[in-house]
mmCIF file of all heavy atoms in Angstrom:
data_model
loop_
_atom_site.group_PDB
_atom_site.id
_atom_site.type_symbol
_atom_site.label_atom_id
_atom_site.label_comp_id
_atom_site.label_asym_id
_atom_site.label_seq_id
_atom_site.Cartn_x
_atom_site.Cartn_y
_atom_site.Cartn_z
ATOM 1 N N LEU P 1 4.897 152.614 218.346
ATOM 2 C CA LEU P 1 5.494 152.959 217.064
ATOM 3 C C LEU P 1 6.694 151.998 216.788
ATOM 4 O O LEU P 1 7.558 151.870 217.666
ATOM 5 C CB LEU P 1 6.021 154.454 217.101
ATOM 6 C CG LEU P 1 4.958 155.533 217.088
ATOM 7 C CD1 LEU P 1 5.621 156.880 217.233
ATOM 8 C CD2 LEU P 1 4.173 155.485 215.753
ATOM 9 N N PRO P 2 6.698 151.350 215.642
ATOM 10 C CA PRO P 2 7.808 150.459 215.324
ATOM 11 C C PRO P 2 9.160 151.224 215.257
ATOM 12 O O PRO P 2 9.186 152.439 215.005
ATOM 13 C CB PRO P 2 7.456 149.921 213.965
ATOM 14 C CG PRO P 2 5.986 150.136 213.789
ATOM 15 C CD PRO P 2 5.739 151.372 214.559
ATOM 16 N N PHE P 3 10.201 150.472 215.562
ATOM 17 C CA PHE P 3 11.576 151.079 215.408
ATOM 18 C C PHE P 3 12.460 150.113 214.615
ATOM 19 O O PHE P 3 12.186 148.961 214.568
ATOM 20 C CB PHE P 3 12.200 151.370 216.785
ATOM 21 C CG PHE P 3 12.197 150.209 217.720
ATOM 22 C CD1 PHE P 3 13.231 149.169 217.538
ATOM 23 C CD2 PHE P 3 11.362 150.096 218.757
ATOM 24 C CE1 PHE P 3 13.262 148.099 218.416
ATOM 25 C CE2 PHE P 3 11.375 149.009 219.614
ATOM 26 C CZ PHE P 3 12.346 148.015 219.407
ATOM 27 N N TRP P 4 13.377 150.694 213.961
ATOM 28 C CA TRP P 4 14.320 149.917 213.162
ATOM 29 C C TRP P 4 15.747 150.320 213.663
ATOM 30 O O TRP P 4 16.190 151.408 213.473
ATOM 31 C CB TRP P 4 14.178 150.137 211.684
ATOM 32 C CG TRP P 4 12.919 149.575 211.106
ATOM 33 C CD1 TRP P 4 12.722 148.374 210.605
ATOM 34 C CD2 TRP P 4 11.633 150.197 211.107
ATOM 35 N NE1 TRP P 4 11.420 148.166 210.142
ATOM 36 C CE2 TRP P 4 10.718 149.304 210.518
ATOM 37 C CE3 TRP P 4 11.131 151.446 211.525
ATOM 38 C CZ2 TRP P 4 9.383 149.608 210.301
ATOM 39 C CZ3 TRP P 4 9.798 151.755 211.333
ATOM 40 C CH2 TRP P 4 8.941 150.823 210.745
ATOM 41 N N ARG P 5 16.385 149.324 214.313
ATOM 42 C CA ARG P 5 17.645 149.701 215.000
ATOM 43 C C ARG P 5 18.810 149.934 214.056
ATOM 44 O O ARG P 5 19.655 150.759 214.354
ATOM 45 C CB ARG P 5 18.051 148.544 215.981
ATOM 46 C CG ARG P 5 17.117 148.344 217.112
ATOM 47 C CD ARG P 5 17.182 149.498 218.080
ATOM 48 N NE ARG P 5 16.446 149.190 219.317
ATOM 49 C CZ ARG P 5 15.998 150.054 220.134
ATOM 50 N NH1 ARG P 5 16.231 151.373 219.951
ATOM 51 N NH2 ARG P 5 15.369 149.739 221.275
ATOM 52 N N ALA P 6 18.837 149.213 212.947
ATOM 53 C CA ALA P 6 19.954 149.350 212.008
ATOM 54 C C ALA P 6 21.259 149.132 212.787
ATOM 55 O O ALA P 6 21.422 148.174 213.523
ATOM 56 C CB ALA P 6 19.931 150.652 211.285
ATOM 57 N N ASP P 7 22.233 150.025 212.612
ATOM 58 C CA ASP P 7 23.524 149.856 213.339
ATOM 59 C C ASP P 7 23.596 150.769 214.530
ATOM 60 O O ASP P 7 24.691 151.103 214.956
ATOM 61 C CB ASP P 7 24.703 150.135 212.384
ATOM 62 C CG ASP P 7 24.655 151.556 211.809
ATOM 63 O OD1 ASP P 7 23.693 152.233 212.054
ATOM 64 O OD2 ASP P 7 25.676 151.912 211.126
ATOM 65 N N GLU P 8 22.468 151.078 215.128
ATOM 66 C CA GLU P 8 22.457 151.982 216.268
ATOM 67 C C GLU P 8 23.254 151.345 217.419
ATOM 68 O O GLU P 8 23.145 150.224 217.715
ATOM 69 C CB GLU P 8 20.999 152.202 216.721
ATOM 70 C CG GLU P 8 20.821 153.037 217.874
ATOM 71 C CD GLU P 8 19.393 153.139 218.324
ATOM 72 O OE1 GLU P 8 18.610 153.828 217.642
ATOM 73 O OE2 GLU P 8 18.976 152.512 219.332
ATOM 74 N N ARG P 9 24.054 152.238 218.112
ATOM 75 C CA ARG P 9 24.782 151.731 219.195
ATOM 76 C C ARG P 9 24.392 152.571 220.461
ATOM 77 O O ARG P 9 24.083 153.684 220.401
ATOM 78 C CB ARG P 9 26.307 151.924 218.975
ATOM 79 C CG ARG P 9 26.878 150.986 218.002
ATOM 80 C CD ARG P 9 28.340 151.170 217.849
ATOM 81 N NE ARG P 9 28.710 152.450 217.255
ATOM 82 C CZ ARG P 9 29.945 152.917 217.147
ATOM 83 N NH1 ARG P 9 30.881 152.198 217.565
ATOM 84 N NH2 ARG P 9 30.178 154.090 216.544
ATOM 85 N N ASP P 10 24.411 151.869 221.576
ATOM 86 C CA ASP P 10 24.096 152.594 222.858
ATOM 87 C C ASP P 10 25.299 153.461 223.180
ATOM 88 O O ASP P 10 26.464 153.037 223.170
ATOM 89 C CB ASP P 10 23.941 151.497 223.959
ATOM 90 C CG ASP P 10 22.666 150.780 223.800
ATOM 91 O OD1 ASP P 10 21.693 151.290 223.240
ATOM 92 O OD2 ASP P 10 22.558 149.545 224.274
ATOM 93 N N ARG P 11 24.995 154.717 223.598
ATOM 94 C CA ARG P 11 26.038 155.690 223.967
ATOM 95 C C ARG P 11 26.653 155.246 225.282
ATOM 96 O O ARG P 11 25.983 154.815 226.194
ATOM 97 C CB ARG P 11 25.426 157.067 224.096
ATOM 98 C CG ARG P 11 26.480 158.170 224.270
ATOM 99 C CD ARG P 11 25.845 159.575 224.320
ATOM 100 N NE ARG P 11 25.067 159.702 225.544
ATOM 101 C CZ ARG P 11 23.891 160.338 225.632
ATOM 102 N NH1 ARG P 11 23.344 160.778 224.520
ATOM 103 N NH2 ARG P 11 23.260 160.461 226.815
ATOM 104 N N GLY P 12 27.948 155.362 225.350
ATOM 105 C CA GLY P 12 28.698 154.947 226.548
ATOM 106 C C GLY P 12 28.787 156.020 227.604
ATOM 107 O O GLY P 12 28.308 157.109 227.488
ATOM 108 N N GLY P 13 29.506 155.761 228.654
ATOM 109 C CA GLY P 13 29.628 156.693 229.818
ATOM 110 C C GLY P 13 30.485 157.885 229.558
ATOM 111 O O GLY P 13 30.276 158.929 230.143
ATOM 112 N N HIS P 14 31.440 157.793 228.622
ATOM 113 C CA HIS P 14 32.406 158.880 228.481
ATOM 114 C C HIS P 14 31.709 160.121 227.967
ATOM 115 O O HIS P 14 31.815 161.224 228.642
ATOM 116 C CB HIS P 14 33.460 158.428 227.401
ATOM 117 C CG HIS P 14 34.499 159.449 227.191
ATOM 118 N ND1 HIS P 14 35.627 159.590 227.984
ATOM 119 C CD2 HIS P 14 34.691 160.389 226.178
ATOM 120 C CE1 HIS P 14 36.381 160.547 227.546
ATOM 121 N NE2 HIS P 14 35.852 161.067 226.487
ATOM 122 N N PHE P 15 30.933 160.085 226.871
ATOM 123 C CA PHE P 15 30.323 161.216 226.371
ATOM 124 C C PHE P 15 29.062 161.566 227.178
ATOM 125 O O PHE P 15 28.763 162.763 227.346
ATOM 126 C CB PHE P 15 29.945 161.031 224.923
ATOM 127 C CG PHE P 15 29.528 162.299 224.216
ATOM 128 C CD1 PHE P 15 30.470 163.349 224.030
ATOM 129 C CD2 PHE P 15 28.264 162.472 223.697
ATOM 130 C CE1 PHE P 15 30.091 164.490 223.369
ATOM 131 C CE2 PHE P 15 27.869 163.624 223.023
ATOM 132 C CZ PHE P 15 28.824 164.630 222.867
ATOM 133 N N SER P 16 28.405 160.605 227.745
ATOM 134 C CA SER P 16 27.222 160.840 228.581
ATOM 135 C C SER P 16 27.626 161.676 229.828
ATOM 136 O O SER P 16 26.896 162.630 230.229
ATOM 137 C CB SER P 16 26.596 159.572 229.066
ATOM 138 O OG SER P 16 26.089 158.791 227.940
ATOM 139 N N ALA P 17 28.813 161.407 230.425
ATOM 140 C CA ALA P 17 29.227 162.206 231.549
ATOM 141 C C ALA P 17 29.459 163.641 231.157
ATOM 142 O O ALA P 17 29.230 164.561 231.915
ATOM 143 C CB ALA P 17 30.549 161.589 232.090
ATOM 144 N N LYS P 18 29.960 163.905 229.942
ATOM 145 C CA LYS P 18 30.133 165.260 229.458
ATOM 146 C C LYS P 18 28.812 166.012 229.404
ATOM 147 O O LYS P 18 28.752 167.206 229.702
ATOM 148 C CB LYS P 18 30.887 165.296 228.147
ATOM 149 C CG LYS P 18 32.294 164.797 228.194
ATOM 150 C CD LYS P 18 33.030 164.819 226.857
ATOM 151 C CE LYS P 18 34.402 164.273 226.956
ATOM 152 N NZ LYS P 18 35.213 165.007 227.923
ATOM 153 N N ILE P 19 27.795 165.322 228.898
ATOM 154 C CA ILE P 19 26.480 165.956 228.759
ATOM 155 C C ILE P 19 25.912 166.315 230.166
ATOM 156 O O ILE P 19 25.482 167.478 230.352
ATOM 157 C CB ILE P 19 25.515 164.975 228.051
ATOM 158 C CG1 ILE P 19 26.004 164.782 226.591
ATOM 159 C CG2 ILE P 19 24.069 165.501 228.075
ATOM 160 C CD1 ILE P 19 25.224 163.633 225.842
ATOM 161 N N GLY P 20 25.998 165.350 231.087
ATOM 162 C CA GLY P 20 25.518 165.631 232.397
ATOM 163 C C GLY P 20 26.254 166.745 233.135
ATOM 164 O O GLY P 20 25.670 167.558 233.807
ATOM 165 N N ALA P 21 27.502 166.828 232.953
ATOM 166 C CA ALA P 21 28.377 167.859 233.619
ATOM 167 C C ALA P 21 28.088 169.257 233.026
ATOM 168 O O ALA P 21 27.973 170.242 233.686
ATOM 169 C CB ALA P 21 29.847 167.525 233.520
ATOM 170 N N PHE P 22 27.935 169.297 231.664
ATOM 171 C CA PHE P 22 27.692 170.577 230.998
ATOM 172 C C PHE P 22 26.329 171.161 231.381
ATOM 173 O O PHE P 22 26.218 172.303 231.687
ATOM 174 C CB PHE P 22 27.709 170.441 229.470
ATOM 175 C CG PHE P 22 27.308 171.672 228.702
ATOM 176 C CD1 PHE P 22 28.239 172.654 228.503
ATOM 177 C CD2 PHE P 22 26.018 171.795 228.283
ATOM 178 C CE1 PHE P 22 27.851 173.794 227.821
ATOM 179 C CE2 PHE P 22 25.598 172.934 227.583
ATOM 180 C CZ PHE P 22 26.531 173.937 227.368
ATOM 181 N N LEU P 23 25.323 170.286 231.478
ATOM 182 C CA LEU P 23 23.989 170.736 231.839
ATOM 183 C C LEU P 23 23.947 171.198 233.293
ATOM 184 O O LEU P 23 23.173 172.123 233.610
ATOM 185 C CB LEU P 23 22.961 169.651 231.564
ATOM 186 C CG LEU P 23 22.647 169.331 230.131
ATOM 187 C CD1 LEU P 23 21.722 168.129 230.018
ATOM 188 C CD2 LEU P 23 22.057 170.529 229.415
ATOM 189 N N GLU P 24 24.715 170.643 234.159
ATOM 190 C CA GLU P 24 24.832 171.118 235.495
ATOM 191 C C GLU P 24 25.355 172.494 235.557
ATOM 192 O O GLU P 24 24.927 173.391 236.307
ATOM 193 C CB GLU P 24 25.650 170.090 236.319
ATOM 194 C CG GLU P 24 25.643 170.480 237.843
ATOM 195 C CD GLU P 24 26.487 169.474 238.660
ATOM 196 O OE1 GLU P 24 27.355 168.765 238.088
ATOM 197 O OE2 GLU P 24 26.235 169.442 239.851
ATOM 198 N N ARG P 25 26.469 172.718 234.792
ATOM 199 C CA ARG P 25 27.040 174.110 234.773
ATOM 200 C C ARG P 25 26.093 175.069 234.112
ATOM 201 O O ARG P 25 25.957 176.236 234.562
ATOM 202 C CB ARG P 25 28.352 174.039 233.984
ATOM 203 C CG ARG P 25 29.474 173.189 234.673
ATOM 204 C CD ARG P 25 30.846 173.509 234.043
ATOM 205 N NE ARG P 25 30.901 173.247 232.641
ATOM 206 C CZ ARG P 25 31.132 172.098 232.060
ATOM 207 N NH1 ARG P 25 31.389 171.005 232.832
ATOM 208 N NH2 ARG P 25 31.177 171.970 230.736
ATOM 209 N N ALA P 26 25.435 174.632 233.036
ATOM 210 C CA ALA P 26 24.549 175.551 232.326
ATOM 211 C C ALA P 26 23.359 175.919 233.189
ATOM 212 O O ALA P 26 22.911 177.096 233.198
ATOM 213 C CB ALA P 26 24.023 174.887 230.991
ATOM 214 N N GLU P 27 22.826 175.017 233.934
ATOM 215 C CA GLU P 27 21.699 175.280 234.843
ATOM 216 C C GLU P 27 21.987 176.467 235.806
ATOM 217 O O GLU P 27 21.168 177.246 236.052
ATOM 218 C CB GLU P 27 21.288 174.029 235.616
ATOM 219 C CG GLU P 27 20.282 174.195 236.759
ATOM 220 C CD GLU P 27 18.968 174.770 236.247
ATOM 221 O OE1 GLU P 27 18.538 174.446 235.091
ATOM 222 O OE2 GLU P 27 18.360 175.575 236.997
ATOM 223 N N ALA P 28 23.225 176.483 236.281
ATOM 224 C CA ALA P 28 23.635 177.499 237.216
ATOM 225 C C ALA P 28 23.833 178.876 236.587
ATOM 226 O O ALA P 28 23.940 179.848 237.279
ATOM 227 C CB ALA P 28 24.929 177.096 237.919
ATOM 228 N N ARG P 29 23.815 178.914 235.208
ATOM 229 C CA ARG P 29 24.127 180.098 234.479
ATOM 230 C C ARG P 29 22.986 180.666 233.648
ATOM 231 O O ARG P 29 23.119 181.567 232.904
ATOM 232 C CB ARG P 29 25.401 179.954 233.619
ATOM 233 C CG ARG P 29 26.559 179.515 234.460
ATOM 234 C CD ARG P 29 27.766 179.169 233.629
ATOM 235 N NE ARG P 29 28.269 180.336 232.903
ATOM 236 C CZ ARG P 29 29.334 180.266 232.014
ATOM 237 N NH1 ARG P 29 29.927 179.094 231.874
ATOM 238 N NH2 ARG P 29 29.726 181.340 231.406
ATOM 239 N N LEU P 30 21.826 180.045 233.749
ATOM 240 C CA LEU P 30 20.715 180.438 232.938
ATOM 241 C C LEU P 30 19.728 181.370 233.650
ATOM 242 O O LEU P 30 18.741 181.838 233.128
ATOM 243 C CB LEU P 30 19.905 179.177 232.433
ATOM 244 C CG LEU P 30 20.654 178.325 231.422
ATOM 245 C CD1 LEU P 30 19.817 177.101 231.077
ATOM 246 C CD2 LEU P 30 20.943 179.123 230.119
ATOM 247 N N GLY P 31 20.083 181.656 234.904
ATOM 248 C CA GLY P 31 19.139 182.417 235.715
ATOM 249 C C GLY P 31 18.984 183.869 235.385
ATOM 250 O O GLY P 31 17.948 184.483 235.655
ATOM 251 N N ASP P 32 20.072 184.526 234.816
ATOM 252 C CA ASP P 32 19.954 185.916 234.521
ATOM 253 C C ASP P 32 20.631 186.214 233.155
ATOM 254 O O ASP P 32 21.391 185.384 232.719
ATOM 255 C CB ASP P 32 20.637 186.781 235.640
ATOM 256 C CG ASP P 32 22.101 186.473 235.829
ATOM 257 O OD1 ASP P 32 22.926 186.979 235.000
ATOM 258 O OD2 ASP P 32 22.426 185.626 236.676
ATOM 259 N N LEU P 33 20.290 187.387 232.596
ATOM 260 C CA LEU P 33 20.700 187.681 231.241
ATOM 261 C C LEU P 33 22.220 187.811 231.150
ATOM 262 O O LEU P 33 22.824 187.331 230.161
ATOM 263 C CB LEU P 33 20.031 188.991 230.814
ATOM 264 C CG LEU P 33 20.213 189.356 229.351
ATOM 265 C CD1 LEU P 33 19.683 188.179 228.412
ATOM 266 C CD2 LEU P 33 19.549 190.668 228.989
ATOM 267 N N LYS P 34 22.848 188.362 232.175
ATOM 268 C CA LYS P 34 24.309 188.565 232.114
ATOM 269 C C LYS P 34 25.037 187.233 232.055
ATOM 270 O O LYS P 34 25.969 187.067 231.258
ATOM 271 C CB LYS P 34 24.795 189.324 233.341
ATOM 272 C CG LYS P 34 26.277 189.670 233.317
ATOM 273 C CD LYS P 34 26.641 190.516 234.560
ATOM 274 C CE LYS P 34 28.134 190.873 234.511
ATOM 275 N NZ LYS P 34 28.553 191.666 235.703
ATOM 276 N N SER P 35 24.591 186.292 232.858
ATOM 277 C CA SER P 35 25.213 184.952 232.824
ATOM 278 C C SER P 35 24.977 184.229 231.553
ATOM 279 O O SER P 35 25.841 183.519 231.038
ATOM 280 C CB SER P 35 24.665 184.086 234.025
ATOM 281 O OG SER P 35 24.988 184.657 235.240
ATOM 282 N N GLN P 36 23.794 184.453 230.949
ATOM 283 C CA GLN P 36 23.467 183.889 229.633
ATOM 284 C C GLN P 36 24.453 184.411 228.553
ATOM 285 O O GLN P 36 24.886 183.696 227.677
ATOM 286 C CB GLN P 36 22.051 184.153 229.226
ATOM 287 C CG GLN P 36 21.070 183.419 230.106
ATOM 288 C CD GLN P 36 19.590 183.839 229.818
ATOM 289 O OE1 GLN P 36 19.363 184.339 228.690
ATOM 290 N NE2 GLN P 36 18.736 183.743 230.740
ATOM 291 N N VAL P 37 24.781 185.755 228.640
ATOM 292 C CA VAL P 37 25.719 186.292 227.653
ATOM 293 C C VAL P 37 27.076 185.685 227.782
ATOM 294 O O VAL P 37 27.752 185.379 226.814
ATOM 295 C CB VAL P 37 25.756 187.821 227.860
ATOM 296 C CG1 VAL P 37 26.872 188.414 227.038
ATOM 297 C CG2 VAL P 37 24.380 188.435 227.506
ATOM 298 N N THR P 38 27.553 185.534 229.046
ATOM 299 C CA THR P 38 28.865 184.949 229.200
ATOM 300 C C THR P 38 28.888 183.460 228.799
ATOM 301 O O THR P 38 29.907 182.975 228.210
ATOM 302 C CB THR P 38 29.272 185.052 230.665
ATOM 303 O OG1 THR P 38 28.376 184.373 231.516
ATOM 304 C CG2 THR P 38 29.497 186.467 231.116
ATOM 305 N N LEU P 39 27.781 182.768 228.973
ATOM 306 C CA LEU P 39 27.705 181.400 228.505
ATOM 307 C C LEU P 39 27.759 181.333 227.006
ATOM 308 O O LEU P 39 28.508 180.529 226.434
ATOM 309 C CB LEU P 39 26.418 180.751 229.023
ATOM 310 C CG LEU P 39 26.140 179.328 228.523
ATOM 311 C CD1 LEU P 39 27.283 178.405 228.939
ATOM 312 C CD2 LEU P 39 24.835 178.776 229.087
ATOM 313 N N SER P 40 27.077 182.319 226.340
ATOM 314 C CA SER P 40 27.115 182.343 224.895
ATOM 315 C C SER P 40 28.514 182.623 224.380
ATOM 316 O O SER P 40 28.982 181.986 223.385
ATOM 317 C CB SER P 40 26.133 183.437 224.384
ATOM 318 O OG SER P 40 26.192 183.567 222.969
ATOM 319 N N GLU P 41 29.199 183.542 224.974
ATOM 320 C CA GLU P 41 30.610 183.795 224.617
ATOM 321 C C GLU P 41 31.516 182.595 224.787
ATOM 322 O O GLU P 41 32.401 182.346 223.920
ATOM 323 C CB GLU P 41 31.109 184.981 225.398
ATOM 324 C CG GLU P 41 30.422 186.337 225.116
ATOM 325 C CD GLU P 41 30.823 187.448 226.023
ATOM 326 O OE1 GLU P 41 31.417 187.119 227.142
ATOM 327 O OE2 GLU P 41 30.451 188.602 225.782
ATOM 328 N N GLU P 42 31.229 181.801 225.848
ATOM 329 C CA GLU P 42 32.036 180.663 226.113
ATOM 330 C C GLU P 42 31.785 179.617 225.034
ATOM 331 O O GLU P 42 32.697 178.882 224.594
ATOM 332 C CB GLU P 42 31.707 180.117 227.474
ATOM 333 C CG GLU P 42 32.468 178.812 227.827
ATOM 334 C CD GLU P 42 32.036 178.256 229.158
ATOM 335 O OE1 GLU P 42 31.854 179.032 230.123
ATOM 336 O OE2 GLU P 42 31.859 177.055 229.265
ATOM 337 N N LEU P 43 30.575 179.466 224.606
ATOM 338 C CA LEU P 43 30.225 178.508 223.527
ATOM 339 C C LEU P 43 30.855 178.803 222.275
ATOM 340 O O LEU P 43 31.308 177.960 221.540
ATOM 341 C CB LEU P 43 28.651 178.448 223.348
ATOM 342 C CG LEU P 43 27.812 177.829 224.481
ATOM 343 C CD1 LEU P 43 26.388 178.080 224.275
ATOM 344 C CD2 LEU P 43 28.152 176.349 224.551
ATOM 345 N N VAL P 44 31.035 180.154 221.954
ATOM 346 C CA VAL P 44 31.713 180.506 220.704
ATOM 347 C C VAL P 44 33.169 180.298 220.826
ATOM 348 O O VAL P 44 33.818 179.765 219.914
ATOM 349 C CB VAL P 44 31.382 182.039 220.416
ATOM 350 C CG1 VAL P 44 32.205 182.482 219.241
ATOM 351 C CG2 VAL P 44 29.885 182.182 220.082
ATOM 352 N N ALA P 45 33.781 180.674 221.969
ATOM 353 C CA ALA P 45 35.218 180.634 222.131
ATOM 354 C C ALA P 45 35.733 179.190 222.338
ATOM 355 O O ALA P 45 36.778 178.800 221.766
ATOM 356 C CB ALA P 45 35.613 181.511 223.283
ATOM 357 N N ASP P 46 35.067 178.410 223.141
ATOM 358 C CA ASP P 46 35.596 177.107 223.522
ATOM 359 C C ASP P 46 34.934 175.909 222.865
ATOM 360 O O ASP P 46 35.499 174.796 222.789
ATOM 361 C CB ASP P 46 35.416 176.953 225.032
ATOM 362 C CG ASP P 46 36.245 177.931 225.867
ATOM 363 O OD1 ASP P 46 37.166 178.519 225.273
ATOM 364 O OD2 ASP P 46 35.895 178.150 227.040
ATOM 365 N N TYR P 47 33.727 176.059 222.342
ATOM 366 C CA TYR P 47 32.998 174.936 221.730
ATOM 367 C C TYR P 47 32.847 175.089 220.260
ATOM 368 O O TYR P 47 32.162 174.261 219.638
ATOM 369 C CB TYR P 47 31.596 174.885 222.385
ATOM 370 C CG TYR P 47 31.670 174.471 223.834
ATOM 371 C CD1 TYR P 47 31.945 175.427 224.863
ATOM 372 C CD2 TYR P 47 31.394 173.185 224.258
ATOM 373 C CE1 TYR P 47 31.968 175.061 226.179
ATOM 374 C CE2 TYR P 47 31.395 172.828 225.592
ATOM 375 C CZ TYR P 47 31.751 173.770 226.551
ATOM 376 O OH TYR P 47 31.730 173.455 227.870
ATOM 377 N N ALA P 48 33.452 176.109 219.675
ATOM 378 C CA ALA P 48 33.488 176.300 218.150
ATOM 379 C C ALA P 48 32.088 176.442 217.533
ATOM 380 O O ALA P 48 31.859 176.057 216.370
ATOM 381 C CB ALA P 48 34.222 175.156 217.506
#
């Protein structure tokens, strides 16, 4: 499939590290419903 790069920029390490760290924490909290509820509350309170 052709692509058109335009002004696309490669994402750097700063934000990529945040993604990797968040998913590591989220993985540990998706196992049961109670942990999912607290994660949801955290997303509302801290992540707007």
Side-chain angles (χ1 to χ4, degrees):
L1 287 174
F3 54 77
W4 290 267
R5 294 290 189 199
D7 59 352
E8 177 184 288
R9 288 184 292 174
D10 290 331
R11 189 177 69 219
H14 182 81
F15 194 62
S16 297
K18 293 183 182 300
I19 295 171
F22 174 83
L23 289 175
E24 184 178 22
R25 295 194 303 272
E27 170 60 34
R29 300 174 64 180
L30 292 174
D32 61 81
L33 189 58
K34 184 177 180 180
S35 297
Q36 293 173 24
V37 171
T38 58
L39 177 58
S40 178
E41 292 171 349
E42 180 183 316
L43 289 171
V44 173
D46 298 339
Y47 293 79

